[in-house]
Amino acid sequence: ETGVTQSPTHLIKTRGQQVTLRCSSQSGHNTVSWYQQALGQGPQFIFQYYREEENGRGNFPPRFSGLQFPNYSSELNVNALELDDSALYLCASSHRDYYNEQFFGPGTRLTVL
Amino acid sequence: AQTVTQSQPEMSVQEAETVTLSCTYDTSENNYYLFWYKQPPSRQMILVIRQEAYKQQNATENRFSVNFQKAAKSFSLKISDSQLGDTAMYFCAFEETGANNLFFGTGTRLTVIP
């Protein structure tokens, strides 16, 4: 059973650019949630994807968008990057059809200059 | 809206001693889950322990146990026989039943001193 993986590990972008982060869910899981963790803070929920559709969203602007693919892997896209988008982005997978804990990936560290 | 408060930004404990991390939360929901997650320097968030709000019995997992006070909306984590590998950030988190998204506190940085 493979765990949750994320790519890339680190990323540096400049303000105004666009970025795509990727997450492969754990085998057997059908739900992916994305979180933003600013330095020194707890993670904040961005949104969740269940069976390829957005299923819940936190307080993030529309320039944060996502996708989930038939194999349940997921992408997080951020347009028009701002300095405050610099953070650790975590994805977590779970199986929504019955209660299961969320398994987190190691995160992608995004730096916006 | 749910909020989770961790009032201890940093704590330290001697190896083999016991330490308690505090967490309070605010919600109008009656059915929910509470969690403690550990985030070591490797950044991977690891579940330490989970408590269902409808259960009166406090959850335990080996050296880790919780003191869940539903009326007071308090959920503390006790680590017994602290080990060097327990050094990490610890986050308290709340999840409304069925929502499958977590609300986290700001974390407590725990250092275990040899």
Side-chain angles (χ1 to χ4, degrees):
Chain A
E1 185 180 88
T2 56
V4 180
T5 61
Q6 292 185 244
S7 62
T9 305
H10 297 89
L11 202 53
I12 299 174
K13 292 285 189 178
T14 56
R15 196 169 43 184
Q17 285 189 309
Q18 179 266 342
V19 69
T20 297
L21 310 182
R22 294 177 176 84
C23 172
S24 291
S25 59
Q26 183 162 314
S27 176
H29 287 178
N30 60 11
T31 302
V32 173
S33 301
W34 285 92
Y35 295 83
Q36 180 195 66
Q37 185 178 15
L39 196 62
Q41 300 295 316
Q44 286 197 306
F45 175 69
I46 303 174
F47 46 55
Q48 179 184 98
Y49 276 83
Y50 169 60
R51 296 190 173 183
E52 302 178 55
E53 295 202 0
E54 188 178 294
N55 181 58
R57 187 179 185 94
N59 189 26
F60 281 81
R63 60 189 184 84
F64 285 79
S65 63
L67 284 173
Q68 188 179 34
F69 300 99
N71 67 354
Y72 302 125
S73 66
S74 177
E75 287 182 354
L76 165 65
N77 299 291
V78 187
N79 294 321
L81 283 167
E82 300 177 1
L83 297 179
D84 285 349
D85 295 334
S86 294
L88 180 68
Y89 288 85
L90 297 167
C91 80
S93 76
S94 59
H95 198 300
R96 187 173 172 81
D97 296 330
Y98 57 88
Y99 181 76
N100 199 3
E101 72 176 85
Q102 293 195 33
F103 290 81
F104 282 82
T108 293
R109 171 75 65 194
L110 173 64
T111 302
V112 182
L113 302 176
Chain B
Q2 288 82 3
T3 59
V4 178
T5 303
Q6 294 179 250
S7 58
Q8 305 153 313
E10 293 190 25
M11 292 194 71
S12 62
V13 62
Q14 290 289 140
E15 195 175 3
E17 296 293 304
T18 296
V19 65
T20 299
L21 309 183
S22 301
C23 173
T24 58
Y25 60 95
D26 190 22
T27 183
S28 58
E29 301 295 327
N30 194 45
N31 297 315
Y32 51 87
Y33 294 90
L34 293 163
F35 306 84
W36 280 98
Y37 278 89
K38 168 185 177 181
Q39 188 177 42
S42 66
R43 308 184 321 202
Q44 189 114 22
M45 197 76 77
I46 302 164
L47 179 66
V48 174
I49 198 164
R50 174 177 67 208
Q51 174 80 43
E52 291 91 338
Y54 66 88
K55 289 187 177 179
Q56 293 187 342
Q57 186 173 7
N58 289 324
T60 62
E61 285 288 343
N62 301 314
R63 299 183 294 108
F64 300 89
S65 61
V66 299
N67 183 3
F68 173 47
Q69 302 289 327
K70 190 172 184 179
K73 296 180 181 176
S74 170
F75 183 61
S76 61
L77 174 70
K78 184 171 83 170
I79 306 175
S80 304
D81 186 25
S82 296
Q83 300 176 0
L84 296 179
D86 296 334
T87 292
M89 284 291 291
Y90 286 81
F91 291 96
C92 178
F94 170 99
E95 178 185 301
E96 180 187 335
T97 301
N100 223 30
N101 61 290
L102 295 162
F103 290 89
F104 286 87
T106 52
T108 297
R109 182 178 302 280
L110 176 67
T111 302
V112 180
I113 302 167

